[in-house]
Amino acid sequence: MQTFTEPKPFVEHPDFAKQRAASRRRLDYRDIDPPLRDLVRGFARFDLCFTLQCCYGHFVHDLQPDKHNTDPLPATAALSDIDYRMAYMAFCVENGERGRSFVDGLAKLRDIDPEYVQFGSSDWFRARHPNLFVVQVEPKRFQYEDSCRVDFGEALRIEWVRNRFFQEIQGLLSILTEGE
């Protein structure tokens, strides 16, 4: 099932506050990849959005067969056929000036590397959560897939982009924190 789509326009969302509160009540940080826990905690403090799902992005290969590992790739290795499980964050965003500004910041994440970072929506989520926006790190040719197989050189590129991606998202969170 293809879930990633082009970004959809904002619409009215009268249940936003109720959905945000319910999402926060259900939030179990043990289910979140450890490198993302503080980031999700940070966003949970703000009323303009809530995180629906996220993934740090996982590299599975002969030296690291755990599909949930968050270890960096080895600096040098004769690895081939690395399975990459996509890094992403999905946010439901309040329809208002601050929410639109936040979404503009998410869209600019594509500037990190347009061949590896996509910004859009997800019809699967959006059916229940209007104003849903997704940013993801995935080779563009696989942008509609949850995972892909790449060679070691491309995996290193993806890892660099993924790390920068989450640094930039942390920067967006810092801007929100300064505005408090």
Side-chain angles (χ1 to χ4, degrees):
M1 171 175 60
Q2 180 177 319
T3 60
F4 181 78
T5 63
E6 290 301 311
K8 304 286 194 251
F10 274 93
V11 297
E12 291 304 314
H13 186 185
D15 293 331
F16 177 81
K18 186 180 356 176
Q19 286 182 347
R20 184 184 68 240
S23 176
R24 286 179 180 167
R25 281 191 305 275
R26 289 189 308 266
L27 191 57
D28 184 347
Y29 292 101
R30 294 172 297 186
D31 293 338
I32 298 170
D33 290 334
L36 299 182
R37 288 177 184 160
D38 286 342
L39 195 57
V40 172
R41 274 188 190 96
F43 281 110
R45 295 179 26 224
F46 296 97
D47 291 340
L48 79 117
C49 68
F50 59 96
T51 307
L52 284 171
Q53 279 191 350
C54 61
C55 181
Y56 185 63
H58 308 281
F59 295 97
V60 181
H61 49 83
D62 292 339
L63 301 176
Q64 182 49 271
D66 179 5
K67 65 182 183 174
H68 298 290
N69 88 82
T70 57
D71 296 344
L73 288 165
T76 57
L79 296 172
S80 61
D81 295 332
I82 296 172
D83 289 321
Y84 169 66
R85 298 177 54 153
M86 171 179 64
Y88 70 95
M89 290 192 82
F91 295 95
C92 188
V93 182
E94 178 181 50
N95 183 3
E97 186 177 327
R98 289 179 58 228
R100 291 173 191 277
S101 178
F102 176 67
V103 167
D104 288 346
L106 292 175
K108 288 178 184 167
L109 292 171
R110 292 179 291 203
D111 294 343
I112 295 169
D113 189 330
E115 290 302 311
Y116 289 91
V117 179
Q118 297 89 42
F119 167 76
S121 293
S122 172
D123 290 343
W124 184 77
F125 283 123
R126 202 169 163 99
R128 290 181 304 168
H129 300 285
N131 306 324
L132 183 282
F133 298 93
V134 177
V135 284
Q136 64 184 34
V137 176
E138 182 87 322
K140 191 172 189 172
R141 67 190 184 279
F142 297 115
Q143 71 183 0
Y144 301 112
E145 310 293 327
D146 291 340
S147 63
C148 61
R149 187 166 286 222
V150 296
D151 65 29
F152 184 67
E154 186 169 27
L156 288 172
R157 178 68 184 168
I158 293 168
E159 181 180 51
W160 181 89
V161 170
R162 179 204 60 194
N163 294 345
R164 175 87 187 278
F165 171 81
F166 285 118
Q167 288 172 352
E168 294 293 324
I169 291 178
Q170 181 65 50
L172 288 173
L173 178 59
S174 296
I175 290 169
L176 292 175
T177 303
E178 291 171 6
E180 282 190 317

